[in-house]
Each structure stands twice: as C-alpha cells, then as structure tokens.
C-alpha cells in the first residue's frame, strides 16, 4: 500500500508542471504537433525501459485482441483526453484548464462504483463533494469563463475520458509497462495523422525541445505509468484518486512562477477545501 501512495505522490508533483509547460509550448506549437512529438519521446523512453528490465519479453504473452484493447484504451484515454485538454489550454488560462481537468478524480470514483462495484461510503461522498467544491471555487470566474465555453466543455470531456480510461485500464489488469508503451505509440500515430490534415506544423527550436522532452519523458511516460501502477494495485481506488486533488494547487504555484499567473485569496480558500477532502478521505475512509 505504501508503494501505491509513493507512486501517486510522485505523479502529483510531476503533473503539477503539466499545465504551465504545455501552455508555454502551445503558444508557439500546434496542439497535435505537441502531442505527437512528445508522445514519440514517451514511447521511446518506455521502450528503452522495457528492453532494459526485460519486460519486452512479455510482449509475446498477449494476443492480437489484447493489443486491440490496449490500442482502444490509448485512443480513448490518452489521445482523446490529451487532445481535448490541450485544446482547452489554448482557450483558457493554465490555471482554469488544470482545475477543470481535475474533475477526473470525481469521474474515477463514480466509474469505479459503476464498473468495479466499489462502494461509495458516506465519508467518500462527503470527501468528494468537499474537494469538488474547492475546484468550483477555484474555477469561478464567470465573466471570463462564459467567453470560453468550448474550452470549458473540452476540459470537462477530457476529464470524463481520463476517468473512464483509468478504471478500464485497472479492470483489464495488463502489464502496465507494456500497456503504456503501446498506448503512447497509438497516441503518437493518431496525433500525427490527424495533425497532418488539420494543422500547419512548425519547426521546433531551442528551449522548446526541453519542454517537449519534459512533457514526453516525465509527464507522459513516467507520471502516467506510475499513476497506472498506483491504481492497478490499489484496494481502494477513491483514496488514491483523492490525492490527485493536490495537483491543481501545486499547478497554481508553478504557473505563478513560470507564467506569472497570480495566486489569489480565492485559490487559498479552494486549497482548504481540496486538502480537507483529501484528509477526510484518507483518515476516515473506512468509516
């Protein structure tokens, strides 16, 4: 159990950089190009890891049908999710997009109840509502949000996709090293094909490569793999999922430093609700 929490906490810290780094990249590079190139780095990194630790030998253990399922998960969970989230980032501030994106842990708990038949206790429900209120408070900027309906809808749809992906990925219970390797290959191929038809790609230069490598290797490859492992081995999905609510607050701090986006009293109040939900869930989750 301790290892699951370590994986989840590391993931949270890495994911806290996602909104700011991606927002910076998208200011100069089209969405699907960013997704395609970073996904190639994710695929290559995981392939090297799988070769080095011998996991690649397990490729033969899966049937063509298994790889179809992995590809379907990749299309739903990380291609569709990432494409929608990246679009949302182009329409909203990094803070707003990140906060709306973190509806997905709520989706995860709901899907875990429907698909995995995990029980939503009273305490889980209160904790979920508490953390959700924090997200609502943090994202409440009605005058600006009304003008970004597509961005809002995109981020909410992305959250639903990733919440469903997380549960389905846990349910099939494949080796996550192999699964995530296949998934990022699918994301790279789908992004490249769609991007070829709908975007005018640009030449990636200088420091942009550092951002692409960070996005591909650390955020896409390492963080998503650790999160998948944490969920796969967790006995109680909701407890792990609630840790993800730390990410929006940490992301605010990163955005303040990197993008100059201001931290407000509103963010502090939201943080109290978010942390309150996490503490309630993790200390009283068995009540």
């Amino acid at each position: 159990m301790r290892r699951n929490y370590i994986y989840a906490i590391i993931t949270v810290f890495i994911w806290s950089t996602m909104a700011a780094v991606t927002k910076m990249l998208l200011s100069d590079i089209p969405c699907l190009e960013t997704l395609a190139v970073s996904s190639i780095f994710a695929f290559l990194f995981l392939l090297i890891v799988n070769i080095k630790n011998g996991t690649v030998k397990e490729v033969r253990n899966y049937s063509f049908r298994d790889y179809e399922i992995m590809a379907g998960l990749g299309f739903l969970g990380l291609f569709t999710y990432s494409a929608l989230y990246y679009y949302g980032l182009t329409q909203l501030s990094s803070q707003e997009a990140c906060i709306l994106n973190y509806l997905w842990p709520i989706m995860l708990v709901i899907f875990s109840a429907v698909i995995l038949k995990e029980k939503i206790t009273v305490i889980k429900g209160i904790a979920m509502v508490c953390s959700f209120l924090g997200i609502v408070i943090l994202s409440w900027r009605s005058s600006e949000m009304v003008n970004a309906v597509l961005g809002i809808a995109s981020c909410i749809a992305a959250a639903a996709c990733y919440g469903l992906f997380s549960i389905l990925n846990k349910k099939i219970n494949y080796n996550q090293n192999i699964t995530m390797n296949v998934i990022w290959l699918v994301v790279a191929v789908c992004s490249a094909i769609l991007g070829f038809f709908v975007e005018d790609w640009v030449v990636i230069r200088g420091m942009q490569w550092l951002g692409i490598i960070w996005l591909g290797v650390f955020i896409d490859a390492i963080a998503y793999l650790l999160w998948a492992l944490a969920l796969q081995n967790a006995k109680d999905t909701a407890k792990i999922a609630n840790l993800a609510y730390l990410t929006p607050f940490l992301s605010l701090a990163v955005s303040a430093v990197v993008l100059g986006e201001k931290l407000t009293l509103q963010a502090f109040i939201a943080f109290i609700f978010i942390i309150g939900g996490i503490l309630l869930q993790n200390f009283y989750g068995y009540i």
Side-chain angles (χ1 to χ4, degrees), residues 30 32-34 36-37 188 191-196 198-203:
L32 293 173
E33 180 181 0
T34 300
V37 178
S191 302
I193 292 174
L194 183 59
F196 177 80
V198 302
E199 292 180 344
D200 294 321
W201 284 20
V202 300
V203 177

Side-chain angles (χ1 to χ4, degrees), residues 95 99 129-140 245-246 248-250 252 263-278:
Q95 294 181 15
I99 292 160
V129 170
C130 185
S131 293
F132 178 70
L133 284 175
I135 287 181
V136 171
I137 291 168
L138 201 53
S139 62
W140 188 260
Y245 285 113
L246 284 168
F249 178 77
L250 294 175
L252 292 180
L263 291 170
T264 64
L265 177 61
Q266 181 182 12
F268 177 76
I269 295 172
F271 174 68
I272 298 299
F273 277 91
I274 292 168
I275 294 299
I278 294 169

Side-chain angles (χ1 to χ4, degrees), residues 79-136:
F79 169 66
T80 306
Y81 159 73
S82 297
L84 288 169
Y85 180 48
Y86 284 14
Y87 175 77
L89 276 167
T90 65
Q91 304 300 308
L92 307 169
S93 73
S94 67
Q95 294 181 15
E96 291 165 339
C98 179
I99 292 160
L100 288 169
N101 180 51
Y102 273 83
L103 289 167
W104 73 258
I106 296 174
M107 307 282 189
L108 192 153
V109 173
I110 294 171
F111 287 133
S112 71
V114 174
I115 298 173
L116 301 181
K117 308 303 180 184
E118 293 185 3
K119 185 179 179 181
I120 298 181
T121 64
V122 173
I123 295 299
K124 281 184 184 179
I126 294 172
M128 196 163 56
V129 170
C130 185
S131 293
F132 178 70
L133 284 175
I135 287 181
V136 171

Side-chain angles (χ1 to χ4, degrees), residues 1-11 226 230 240 243:
M1 286 295 293
R2 179 181 294 180
R3 180 179 295 180
N4 297 337
Y5 281 99
I6 292 173
Y7 287 165
I9 290 169
I10 292 173
T11 300
L226 290 179
I240 296 295
L243 289 174

